[in-house]
Amino acid sequence: MAGRFPPPARPTRARARGGQVVVPFAGDAPFDPGLTLGPLRRGPADPAFRVTPDGSVWRASRTPEGPGTLRVAVREGRAVAEAWGAGGPWLLDRLPALLGAEDDPGAFVPRHKLLLAAHRRRPGLRLTRTGLVLETLIPTVLEQKVTADEAYRSWRLLLRKYGEPAPGPAPDGMYVMPDARGWAAIPSWEWHRANVDGSRSATIVRAARVAARLEEAAAMDPAAARERLERVPGIGPWTSAETVQRSNGAPDEVTTGDLHLPGIVGWALAGDRTADDATMLELLAPYAGQRHRAVRLILLSDRVPPRRAPRMTPGDITRI
């Protein structure tokens, strides 16, 4: 999946080929579309994200211009992107930011051996910036206080029932999520059938009703963006950080309030599996300005503390 990515200042030129829009990229800095776009994937069966056997990354998105499908592949050392649907041109216009052209990996200075090794092993890691808030916010809300598998299943069920098939020659089973009005109109019993409790569904409905204001946060600095999101009841620091990391490409936004992350960071940097948020932030202080990248590299290093307690038990409210 490795290829070459252009310097941010280099303009891109789109051209038509067989009714499709193709954008070639070439440059000197390494990039890895799968690694960069990986945080946008919500589980191995995400209806809005697919990696095909040829290494192509497919995304189905709800853009301000409508639904769109994007395919990114590496061909002969070049990233080639194609898009379909009403939202296709919008996706292509913002492709450089999506693939990390606005990110600066060189700003990261490793101060731990673990991070130095991880940084060298992942030269293609760039932080994505989608420019879309709701498409990250909603699945993040679904992940509040439940297991990842539960949240992924809810996301799949809701997209397949209320989304629409991805435009163009997308792989079978790919869907574009509903628009804001569609999310707000989902009946309470359908949230229940998707195993989404009233607290999370109410948060999503509230967010959908002010979607236009929330989408403005994608153009704000990260602190202001998080403040805007947290005005919605049910959206706290954990949810806002997870969203802004992706929508705004924020290299310094750290996720706090996570059940596992402080212990992972504490174990990786200090051998302390009991670390809390305060300890985690203290350990990450040397990486001010790049703390989110530091956490990504820690997670990619696979150095996690050995498990001592049983996994969180999945819940199922659909039988209630």
Side-chain angles (χ1 to χ4, degrees), residues 62 138 162-163 177-187 191 204-205 208:
R62 173 74 59 180
I138 289 175
Y162 292 100
M177 76 172 199
D179 60 15
R181 182 176 297 181
W183 285 112
I186 296 176
W191 289 109
I204 292 172
V205 170

Side-chain angles (χ1 to χ4, degrees), residues 223-261:
R226 292 186 63 179
E227 193 275 334
R228 172 71 62 89
L229 296 182
E230 290 177 24
R231 291 181 187 178
V232 178
I235 298 177
W238 183 89
T239 304
S240 69
E242 289 284 311
T243 301
V244 170
Q245 287 164 5
R246 297 163 172 82
S247 62
N248 294 51
D252 195 46
E253 296 305 307
V254 183
T255 302
T256 57
D258 191 88
L259 181 62
H260 304 291
L261 188 60

Side-chain angles (χ1 to χ4, degrees), residues 87-265:
W90 191 96
L91 292 170
L92 288 174
D93 285 345
R94 288 152 184 82
L95 183 67
L98 183 75
L99 291 181
E102 298 176 358
D103 183 36
D104 181 13
F108 181 76
V109 180
R111 301 182 185 277
H112 294 80
K113 290 182 179 180
L114 174 74
L115 288 175
L116 176 61
H119 191 48
R120 287 177 173 173
R121 285 197 304 269
R122 306 285 185 170
L125 173 63
R126 288 173 175 266
L127 302 182
T128 186
R129 179 173 187 170
T130 68
L132 296 169
V133 173
L134 215 63
E135 77 163 20
T136 295
L137 177 63
I138 289 175
T140 301
V141 172
L142 292 176
E143 293 173 8
Q144 292 177 348
K145 299 180 180 180
V146 298
T147 66
D149 286 345
E150 289 176 87
Y152 296 158
R153 181 175 182 272
S154 298
W155 175 247
R156 291 196 302 270
L157 291 173
L158 291 167
L159 257 63
R160 289 169 180 167
K161 185 159 189 175
Y162 292 100
E164 59 184 282
D172 291 341
M174 288 198 71
Y175 285 82
V176 177
M177 76 172 199
D179 60 15
R181 182 176 297 181
W183 285 112
I186 296 176
S188 59
W189 58 88
E190 292 294 349
W191 289 109
H192 187 85
R193 288 175 179 173
N195 200 31
V196 181
D197 60 70
S199 175
R200 288 179 292 150
S201 63
T203 298
I204 292 172
V205 170
R206 284 191 291 264
R209 288 173 177 166
V210 293
R213 292 285 288 163
L214 296 185
E215 291 294 349
E216 293 173 357
M220 297 177 177
D221 68 80
R226 292 186 63 179
E227 193 275 334
R228 172 71 62 89
L229 296 182
E230 290 177 24
R231 291 181 187 178
V232 178
I235 298 177
W238 183 89
T239 304
S240 69
E242 289 284 311
T243 301
V244 170
Q245 287 164 5
R246 297 163 172 82
S247 62
N248 294 51
D252 195 46
E253 296 305 307
V254 183
T255 302
T256 57
D258 191 88
L259 181 62
H260 304 291
L261 188 60
I264 293 173
V265 173

